[in-house]
C-alpha cells in the first residue's frame, strides 16, 4: 500500500515541527502536566522496592486478557485516555456511583462504550494480595495502556509511576473534556490544549485508532446527514461509505461495531494515517485531521510515510499525556478497590 506523499511538504513539516517533536514528556522525575508541584514526582522505579513484581503482574494479566479478546488492547488504551482527560490521570474513571459520587461511566463518551474495568479489577485484586495498598489504580491503568500497545505490536516506553488515586469523579468533566467523534478540529485542538498537549500530540495520539472498534452511532452522521442537509460527508470515499451503510442503517443498529482501521484492526501500525490519506478514516474526527488544517495534514502525511517516526512520537506523547495533573505525595490515596474510595 505504497503512497507518494510529496517529499517537499514532508521536509518542510519536519523542519517546522522539530521543536514540538522534541517536546514529548521526559521519562523520569516529571511533575506532570499543569497540576503544579503536589508533593512528589513520577519515575519508572517507583515500585521497585515496595512492590517489585508490580509491572510483571500487570503485564501478565493484560496479556491474558488480550489473548482472550484482541479488542481488549484498544479498550485498555482508551480507558487511559478517558481517565487522563478528566481531572488528570487519577483513576477517577474507574469509580462507581455511590452516595457522594456520580460515576464518569455514565457520561456520553463512556456510557455503553468504555470497557476493560474487569481487567483492571483483576490486576488490582492480584496486587492487593502481593503488596496491599501499594500500587495505585491510576498507575495500573497507565501501565495497562502501555502493555496493551506493546502487545498489539506498538512501541514500548518507560512509564513514570507514583500516581495516587482521586477521591472523586467528574461526570461534567467527562461530558465536556473528552474529544468527541463529531467535534470540529478547533474544538479538538482546544480540548488537547487544555491538557497541555499540542498539535503533534493530537495527531500522534489519534493514531491509537489504528486498533479497536467503533459503534455505528459514532459515525452515522457522516453517512447520511453530515452538515444537516441530508447529504453524506463529501470527504468520505464513496465505496467505503457504501460499505459502511450496509452495516450502519439510518436508524437502529447503534451498537453495530466497525474497525477503526479496516486494513489491520488488531495491529498497531501506521495504516490509520494511510486510510485517512485515501478518505477512509472511519470517524469524522479522524478524517478532519487531513481535510481541515494544513498543519495536521502535514503530520498525517509524515506518519503515513514514516511508521518509525509515528511510533516514536506516539510513545513520547503517551508519556506526556500520562503526566497530566497526577496526584502525588499525600494527595489522593491508594484505593483498595478501584471502584470505590477507601
Amino acid at each position: 500500500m505504497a503512497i507518494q506523499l510529496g517529499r517537499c511538504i514532508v521536509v518542510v513539516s519536519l523542519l517546522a515541527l522539530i521543536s514540538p517533536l522534541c517536546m514529548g514528556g521526559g521519562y523520569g522525575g516529571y511533575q506532570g502536566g499543569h497540576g503544579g508541584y503536589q508533593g512528589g514526582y513520577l519515575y519508572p522505579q517507583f515500585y521497585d522496592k515496595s512492590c517489585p513484581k508490580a509491572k510483571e503482574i500487570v503485564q501478565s494479566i493484560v496479556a491474558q486478557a488480550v489473548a482472550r479478546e484482541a479488542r481488549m488492547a484498544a479498550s485498555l488504551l482508551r480507558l487511559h485516555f478517558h481517565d487522563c482527560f478528566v481531572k488528570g490521570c487519577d483513576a477517577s474513571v474507574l469509580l462507581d456511583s455511590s452516595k457522594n459520587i456520580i460515576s464518569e461511566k455514565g457520561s456520553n463518551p463512556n456510557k455503553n462504550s468504555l470497557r476493560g474495568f474487569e481487567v483492571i479489577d483483576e490486576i488490582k485484586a492480584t496486587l492487593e494480595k502481593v503488596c496491599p495498598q501499594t500500587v495505585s489504580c491510576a498507575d495500573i491503568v497507565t501501565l495497562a495502556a502501555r502493555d496493551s500497545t506493546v502487545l498489539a505490536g506498538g512501541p514500548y516506553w518507560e512509564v513514570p509511576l507514583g500516581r495516587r488515586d482521586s477521591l472523586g469523579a467528574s461526570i461534567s468533566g467527562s461530558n465536556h473534556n473528552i474529544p468527541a467523534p463529531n467535534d470540529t478540529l478547533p474544538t479538538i485542538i482546544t480540548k488537547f490544549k487544555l491538557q497541555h498537549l499540542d498539535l503533534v500530540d493530537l495527531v500522534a495520539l489519534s493514531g491509537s485508532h489504528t486498533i479497536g472498534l467503533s459503534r455505528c452511532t459514532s459515525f452515522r452522521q457522516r453517512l447520511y446527514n453530515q452538515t444537516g442537509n441530508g447529504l453524506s460527508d463529501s470527504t468520505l470515499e464513496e465505496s467505503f461509505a457504501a460499505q459502511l451503510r450496509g452495516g450502519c442503517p439510518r436508524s437502529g443498529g447503534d451498537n453495530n461495531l466497525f474497525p477503526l482501521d479496516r486494513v489491520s484492526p488488531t495491529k498497531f501500525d501506521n495504516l490509520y494515517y494511510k486510510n485517512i490519506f485515501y478518505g477512509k478514516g472511519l470517524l469524522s474526527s479522524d478524517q478532519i485531521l487531513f481535510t481541515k488544517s494544513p498543519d495536521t495534514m502535514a503530520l498525517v502525511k509524515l506518519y503515513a510515510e514514516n511508521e518509525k517516526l509515528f511510533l516514536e512520537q506516539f510513545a513520547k506523547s503517551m508519556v506526556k499525556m500520562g503526566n497530566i495533573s497526577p496526584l502525588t505525595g499525600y494527595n489522593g490515596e491508594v484505593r483498595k478497590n478501584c471502584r470505590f474510595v477507601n
Side-chain angles (χ1 to χ4, degrees):
M1 200 170 169
I3 52 178
Q4 296 300 315
L5 293 173
R7 303 240 169 216
C8 258
I9 190 163
V10 170
V11 171
V12 170
S13 304
L14 263 174
L15 291 172
L17 296 167
I18 283 171
S19 174
L21 283 169
C22 297
M23 281 170 59
Y27 285 158
Y30 181 77
Q31 179 52 41
H34 51 291
Y37 187 77
Q38 298 186 40
Y41 60 99
L42 308 179
Y43 55 101
Q45 301 80 22
F46 189 84
Y47 297 110
D48 283 7
K49 288 182 179 169
S50 59
C51 194
K53 294 207 173 216
K55 295 178 196 172
E56 188 184 314
I57 288 167
V58 175
Q59 197 278 332
S60 170
I61 295 173
V62 170
Q64 292 166 38
V66 172
R68 287 193 299 268
E69 182 195 12
R71 181 188 174 198
M72 189 52 71
S75 298
L76 290 170
L77 183 53
R78 185 165 179 252
L79 195 59
H80 183 40
F81 276 75
H82 284 223
D83 182 35
C84 291
F85 268 71
V86 183
K87 295 169 71 266
C89 309
D90 61 359
S92 65
V93 74
L94 303 179
L95 288 168
D96 285 348
S97 289
S98 63
K99 193 170 77 169
N100 301 315
I101 289 169
I102 301 172
S103 175
E104 293 169 19
K105 294 173 185 178
S107 71
N108 293 327
N110 296 341
K111 192 176 183 182
N112 302 321
S113 173
L114 209 58
R115 310 166 73 246
F117 299 108
E118 294 78 10
V119 178
I120 303 298
D121 289 341
E122 186 183 348
I123 295 168
K124 183 60 175 170
T126 305
L127 285 168
E128 283 300 301
K129 285 177 193 163
V130 177
C131 29
Q133 231 173 320
T134 303
V135 183
S136 70
C137 302
D139 279 342
I140 291 170
V141 171
T142 311
L143 283 166
R146 189 273 312 275
D147 293 339
S148 293
T149 301
V150 172
L151 286 162
Y156 176 92
W157 61 91
E158 288 281 3
V159 176
L161 298 166
R163 297 166 193 80
R164 287 165 66 84
D165 300 324
S166 69
L167 301 171
S170 174
I171 190 164
S172 65
S174 189
N175 277 322
H176 294 111
N177 296 357
I178 296 168
N182 291 313
D183 278 346
T184 64
L185 186 57
T187 298
I188 295 171
I189 289 170
T190 298
K191 287 180 176 181
F192 270 75
K193 270 187 182 169
L194 285 171
Q195 309 301 339
H196 288 222
L197 297 171
D198 59 29
L199 216 57
V200 176
D201 299 315
L202 190 167
V203 180
L205 291 172
S206 295
S208 62
H209 285 178
T210 182
I211 56 174
L213 305 171
S214 182
R215 298 183 300 156
C216 167
T217 186
S218 296
F219 60 86
R220 175 186 281 123
Q221 178 181 330
R222 296 190 75 201
L223 304 179
Y224 302 104
N225 192 24
Q226 176 67 355
T227 55
N229 60 2
L231 299 176
S232 62
D233 184 347
S234 61
T235 66
L236 188 59
E237 196 274 328
E238 187 44 50
S239 64
F240 182 47
Q243 186 187 336
L244 293 173
R245 284 188 204 101
C248 185
R250 281 181 185 271
S251 62
D254 283 6
N255 294 320
N256 293 353
L257 295 169
F258 296 78
L260 286 157
D261 168 6
R262 65 195 190 92
V263 184
S264 56
T266 59
K267 186 171 187 306
F268 203 98
D269 54 28
N270 70 334
L271 284 173
Y272 164 81
Y273 299 103
K274 295 184 181 183
N275 293 337
I276 293 173
F277 184 84
Y278 287 114
K280 295 178 180 179
L282 184 66
L283 306 179
S284 173
S285 56
D286 296 326
Q287 196 61 47
I288 58 177
L289 296 177
F290 193 76
T291 58
K292 295 294 184 184
S293 157
D295 295 329
T296 56
M297 177 196 273
L299 283 162
V300 169
K301 289 181 175 181
L302 190 61
Y303 297 149
E305 187 171 78
N306 191 332
E307 184 177 69
K308 182 171 180 284
L309 185 64
F310 158 55
L311 296 177
E312 286 173 357
Q313 184 58 46
F314 183 81
K316 288 178 187 173
S317 293
M318 282 296 288
V319 172
K320 195 170 167 186
M321 186 185 78
N323 285 332
I324 296 171
S325 301
L327 296 170
T328 58
Y330 295 104
N331 293 311
E333 65 180 14
V334 175
R335 289 184 214 141
K336 297 173 191 173
N337 180 329
C338 291
R339 292 174 183 264
F340 305 100
V341 297
N342 295 341

